[in-house]
Amino acid sequence: MRRVLFFFLCALMVLPDAYAMDLSLNDAIEKIVAESNDIKTADANIKKAKAQLNAVNANRWMSIDGNVSYMNLVDPVHPTSGDGVKIPSEIGALIESRLGVPLDQIPDNIFSAGVQITQPIYTFGKIGNAVDAVHDAIDMSKSAKELTMREVKYAAANLYWTAKMTDEIVVASKRNLNDARAARKKLTAAGRANRSNLIKIESDIAYKEIYVSDAEFNRDTAYRMLKIMAGIDENEEIVLTDNFPNKFEPLDAHELTSNPEWDIYQKQIKMYESNASSKRSGMLPTLAAVGSYSYYAMGTDTGNMFEKKGSQSAYWGLALKVPLFNGGIHSANATIEAMNAEAARQDLDKSKKLKTEEYNTAVKKYKHLCDNLGKLNEAHNLAQKAYDVSANRFAAGQTSAIELSDVSGALYQMDIEVLSAKYSILMAGEAIKKLGD
């Protein structure tokens, strides 16, 4: 029974770890991309650009406008009298003779309704160039999303490997602390502890406890940030399953020929040029088909407005709108767009120089760090051997706690150097992927 209870308690102790979330690098990147506000903003910009295309394309199709109105003619001298318009007698006689109706039967209530249709036929590029500009804007927004995606993935990898490195630093710090505690135990167990050695070891232990505390704090901070960006509950335990590689494959890097940022500038140049052409077309005529239908009803009061058959009118035809003078606004706007295109060309040229240099530097850095990693591993092996020799000598009473502390500190420093080098190599590789084709 006691044995069963013992195993049950052991199971309870390991239960939280059993339910911890395993998180690989790819899983972390997918979660962070899904949670990214920048990606969602980029998606919204694409939808906005497509809506702008619909708005510009609407200018290609007919426009139909309707109007309905009711008017009551009033005497401007006595507008509230309700007697209608006061017409001088001599004019009234003329109106009566012309209309053939008494003056008191002349309608002063008028109702009208109508519809107008306009269909553009040829605009000399005003609409077509505007549509081309919006197409370029859509492509720009897609390239902007790709650029944002790469930045988010790079940041996600940085968060993951930073958290993983803090894990390893905690392990190294605890191992360094345990070595110091083991040395103190050996010193006191041998019965040869002198005051200077004890003070030195206690001092080392105190410092190394601080290192462990700092490492744990940094680890918790890194994990918390990773969870926040990945949309993982802060209280949920996670286990980072990807480890730092011991060996790194050589790069098959090639010359940088494209980049999302360059695509953005190239599309921006085309957009501005299309806008400039559209603005220049504003100085040219516009040919459109037009049509209209109107209906009028009149009466002496609102009750008899529709007793008689109302009048109707309609027309259709072609209309040529020719701008004669506009103060040069179209030319000025075209120049503004042309200068925007020129500024974008300069930005593209600058971006090509900077991104190419950044890419080449990342490639060189990757190779340089890989070469240095081999030397660091050799130095780490030597530091480990030096510590083992010093620890054995210390156990045999052949060296002091000061020497042991020095070699222990050198070994810990090499642990950190190797971790830092691996982290830098991984992030150099991520930078190459971010910048590459």
Side-chain angles (χ1 to χ4, degrees):
M1 183 64 184
R2 290 181 179 178
R3 182 176 297 179
V4 174
L5 181 59
F6 172 76
F7 284 119
F8 177 73
L9 292 175
C10 290
L12 289 178
M13 292 175 63
V14 301
L15 190 59
D17 291 335
Y19 286 94
M21 176 190 294
D22 288 341
L23 191 68
S24 67
L25 174 62
N26 290 334
D27 291 339
I29 291 175
E30 288 179 2
K31 288 180 178 293
I32 291 174
V33 166
E35 291 290 323
S36 173
N37 297 108
D38 294 331
I39 297 294
K40 293 175 183 178
T41 299
D43 285 331
N45 288 334
I46 293 175
K47 292 179 181 179
K48 181 175 73 172
K50 290 181 178 179
Q52 289 172 339
L53 177 62
N54 293 335
V56 174
N57 263 326
N59 294 321
R60 293 181 182 273
W61 317 122
M62 68 174 65
S63 62
I64 303 176
D65 298 310
N67 63 81
V68 178
S69 66
Y70 164 77
M71 294 180 290
N72 175 245
L73 303 181
V74 298
D75 184 357
V77 179
H78 304 287
T80 61
S81 65
D83 296 332
V85 179
K86 300 298 183 181
I87 302 175
S89 58
E90 62 274 12
I91 298 177
L94 179 62
I95 293 174
E96 286 183 346
S97 63
R98 292 288 179 90
L99 296 179
V101 296
L103 190 61
D104 58 356
Q105 296 181 13
I106 294 177
D108 57 4
N109 290 274
I110 304 172
F111 170 84
S112 67
V115 62
Q116 294 83 36
I117 302 175
T118 303
Q119 170 63 59
I121 296 177
Y122 194 68
T123 63
F124 293 89
K126 283 191 286 290
I127 296 177
N129 286 312
V131 170
D132 291 341
V134 179
H135 276 296
D136 292 327
I138 292 174
D139 291 338
M140 278 175 55
S141 60
K142 291 178 179 178
S143 296
K145 180 182 177 180
E146 173 61 24
L147 181 63
T148 303
M149 182 73 73
R150 294 189 181 194
E151 293 287 352
V152 170
K153 287 183 176 180
Y154 177 84
N158 189 20
L159 285 171
Y160 188 91
W161 290 121
T162 298
K164 189 65 180 180
M165 186 168 68
T166 58
D167 265 343
E168 298 292 337
I169 292 175
V170 168
V171 172
S173 299
K174 288 183 176 180
R175 183 172 59 245
N176 194 30
L177 174 60
N178 291 335
D179 288 342
R181 288 172 174 171
R184 179 179 62 181
K185 185 176 180 180
K186 290 178 182 179
L187 186 64
T188 55
R192 57 180 178 82
N194 60 60
R195 184 174 181 81
S196 62
N197 277 341
L198 280 175
I199 292 174
K200 178 58 180 175
I201 289 179
E202 292 295 341
S203 175
D204 278 352
I205 290 173
Y207 273 110
K208 290 174 181 179
E209 285 175 344
I210 294 174
Y211 294 157
V212 171
S213 177
D214 288 344
E216 290 177 338
F217 175 81
N218 292 334
R219 178 199 59 193
D220 294 342
T221 301
Y223 268 70
R224 187 163 55 251
M225 182 57 67
L226 177 60
K227 290 177 183 178
I228 290 172
M229 299 306 294
I232 300 173
D233 188 87
E234 187 175 338
N235 297 319
E236 185 166 358
E237 294 294 329
I238 60 175
V239 177
L240 306 184
T241 57
D242 283 16
N243 296 314
F244 285 103
N246 293 321
K247 293 183 179 180
F248 293 86
E249 297 297 326
L251 283 177
D252 184 19
H254 54 275
E255 183 180 355
L256 184 64
T257 57
S258 65
N259 182 272
E261 186 172 300
W262 301 352
D263 296 337
I264 292 173
Y265 285 127
Q266 287 166 350
K267 295 298 181 181
Q268 192 175 45
I269 291 169
K270 291 182 62 179
M271 181 189 72
Y272 285 137
E273 288 176 343
S274 296
N275 280 335
S277 298
S278 180
K279 300 299 182 184
R280 291 190 192 96
S281 299
M283 296 181 286
L284 301 175
T286 297
L287 180 64
V290 295
S292 175
Y293 168 81
S294 299
Y295 170 82
Y296 300 92
M298 297 178 288
T300 55
D301 56 52
T302 57
N304 63 9
M305 284 178 57
F306 300 100
E307 289 182 357
K308 297 181 180 180
K309 186 177 180 180
S311 62
Q312 303 180 67
S313 66
Y315 70 83
W316 67 270
L318 296 176
L320 185 66
K321 182 180 179 181
V322 182
L324 298 178
F325 180 76
N326 51 38
I329 185 171
H330 296 302
S331 177
N333 286 333
T335 301
I336 291 172
E337 297 296 334
M339 291 304 101
N340 286 335
E342 179 60 27
R345 288 191 190 92
Q346 298 304 318
D347 290 337
L348 174 60
D349 184 62
K350 180 181 178 181
S351 177
K352 285 185 174 181
K353 294 176 182 177
L354 294 178
K355 292 297 181 183
T356 300
E357 176 60 24
E358 189 178 350
Y359 175 81
N360 293 336
T361 300
V363 172
K364 293 176 182 177
K365 182 179 181 180
Y366 184 92
K367 295 178 180 178
H368 171 72
L369 291 172
C370 286
D371 292 339
N372 280 355
L373 181 60
K375 299 174 183 177
L376 279 173
N377 284 329
E378 292 178 6
H380 182 271
N381 291 336
L382 292 174
Q384 183 67 57
K385 290 178 181 179
Y387 174 77
D388 293 339
V389 170
S390 182
N392 292 333
R393 291 181 63 200
F394 182 79
Q398 297 174 354
T399 188
S400 66
I402 295 176
E403 178 187 330
L404 182 63
S405 174
D406 290 341
V407 294
S408 176
L411 177 60
Y412 175 73
Q413 187 62 37
M414 288 308 305
D415 287 336
I416 304 303
E417 290 289 341
V418 171
L419 280 173
S420 179
K422 290 181 177 180
Y423 166 81
S424 298
I425 293 172
L426 288 169
M427 293 316 300
E430 293 294 334
I432 293 169
K433 287 195 292 184
K434 180 182 74 170
L435 297 166
D437 300 342

